[in-house]
Amino acid sequence: MSTQSPHLIRKKVIAGNWKMNKTAAEGAALTREIVEAVGRETLVDTVLCPPFTALESVARALEGQAIKLGAQNMHPEKSGAFTGEISAEMLRTLYVTHVILGHSERRQYCGETDGFINRKVLAALASELRPILCVGETLAEREAGRTLDVVRTQTEAALAGVKPEQITTVIIAYEPVWAIGTGKVATTAQAQEVHAFIRALLTRLHGAALSQKVRILYGGSMKPANAPELLAQPDIDGGLIGGASLEARSFVDLVKAAMAAV
Ligand code: PEP
């Protein structure tokens, strides 16, 4: 195993999940504000994930900048009779490089299963999109002492069939469901415990050298005030940000917190 600092091996990632917020025009305006502050920043990988309808306007606002564009979902099939769905190829034509998969809101409200999420992960990788795979336990699961079991099951199922040469393309986001949009943040110890557990799982699946290169993000009410402590943990490689990504100032402050943690 490398003796290098994890902060040097893995570039930090700050990804904004705008969810069902911002029209195309509002998204472009927010992007321009973010670009002004951190547009050419390369010390941290910054990703904006607007709704599908704002991908094109945000892509235009990102032209020539270092910030990457992500989608919030995709369908595993290439094309066909899937009303309302979007394929990896369609995302690629809009300059999308990342895609959030398995977000707890899609698991909860759209009935997405681990098997379906696995198909999406494999399809995204086949189309050279970087999956941001979300895993995490509900409050009831945590209180029943099942956190690590749930995270293990979700992670193993979603990564089934991912080849060793693909695993470092995947970004994993640990998002305790009870911390998303609630203002309740996992303690740094709770978050680090699960992140280290996921990395140990990746070591078992793909070996230590590869697992040391996979970025594992924390998501769940991450804000500029709590980010420095979370980002200082050895296995926390960035954040997937919901609420605080909808306003330029807080999002830029999170990118700056990640820069300071490098
Ligand atoms: C999310 O939805 O991925 C998320 C982390 O949301 P929030 O930051 O608002 O908790």
Side-chain angles (χ1 to χ4, degrees):
M1 199 185 298
S2 172
T3 51
Q4 261 191 318
S5 154
H7 302 295
L8 295 177
I9 304 170
R10 300 183 293 272
K11 197 184 220 189
K12 290 234 180 324
V13 181
I14 295 292
N17 173 14
W18 294 0
K19 311 193 187 194
M20 197 171 72
N21 294 292
K22 307 289 178 191
T23 62
E26 289 166 352
L30 173 58
T31 303
R32 283 192 292 271
E33 279 188 77
I34 294 168
V35 157
E36 207 167 295
V38 291
R40 291 183 192 275
E41 181 49 54
T42 55
L43 207 56
V44 167
D45 282 338
T46 305
V47 189
L48 302 183
C49 305
F52 291 135
T53 47
L55 283 172
E56 196 168 355
S57 68
V58 171
R60 279 213 195 92
L62 288 178
E63 253 181 66
Q65 306 296 324
I67 299 175
K68 307 279 195 317
L69 184 61
Q72 297 175 18
N73 182 35
M74 55 163 256
H75 194 275
E77 293 296 330
K78 285 185 163 58
S79 62
F82 301 101
T83 302
E85 295 290 345
I86 305 280
S87 72
E89 209 42 48
M90 292 168 183
L91 297 178
R92 290 292 308 265
T93 62
L94 292 171
Y95 306 102
V96 169
T97 53
H98 293 61
V99 59
I100 298 172
L101 297 176
H103 192 281
S104 63
E105 286 151 15
R106 295 204 60 85
R107 293 177 191 259
Q108 187 183 347
Y109 304 131
C110 307
E112 290 200 5
T113 62
D114 286 333
F116 192 49
I117 294 161
N118 175 236
R119 287 177 55 208
K120 295 185 191 205
V121 168
L122 297 178
L125 290 170
S127 292
E128 294 180 6
L129 287 175
R130 248 183 210 280
I132 302 178
L133 166 68
C134 302
V135 298
E137 80 289 0
T138 62
L139 185 58
E141 288 164 341
R142 175 163 281 270
E143 285 175 349
R146 297 189 47 231
T147 297
L148 299 183
D149 264 356
V150 168
V151 168
R152 182 195 303 114
T153 303
Q154 290 178 349
T155 308
E156 282 181 348
L159 296 180
V162 173
K163 299 189 184 88
E165 63 270 26
Q166 294 175 313
I167 192 64
T168 57
T169 305
V170 178
I171 296 171
I172 297 177
Y174 167 56
E175 299 208 310
V177 178
W178 48 271
I180 296 178
T182 58
K184 284 186 200 152
V185 193
T187 64
T188 47
Q190 283 172 327
Q192 168 57 26
E193 182 198 12
V194 180
H195 282 237
F197 175 80
I198 294 171
R199 198 170 310 286
L201 192 61
L202 293 171
T203 299
R204 189 162 56 66
L205 294 172
H206 290 288
L210 288 176
S211 87
Q212 284 299 316
K213 292 185 180 159
V214 177
R215 272 89 60 88
I216 307 175
L217 316 185
Y218 170 79
S221 300
M222 199 191 248
K223 306 270 183 292
N226 57 36
E229 205 182 322
L230 286 161
L231 293 170
Q233 300 305 303
D235 289 292
I236 300 185
D237 307 312
L240 180 56
I241 319 296
S245 71
L246 294 174
E247 203 246 312
R249 192 163 175 177
S250 46
F251 187 71
V252 166
D253 282 350
L254 284 163
V255 175
K256 289 184 175 165
M259 284 162 60
V262 168

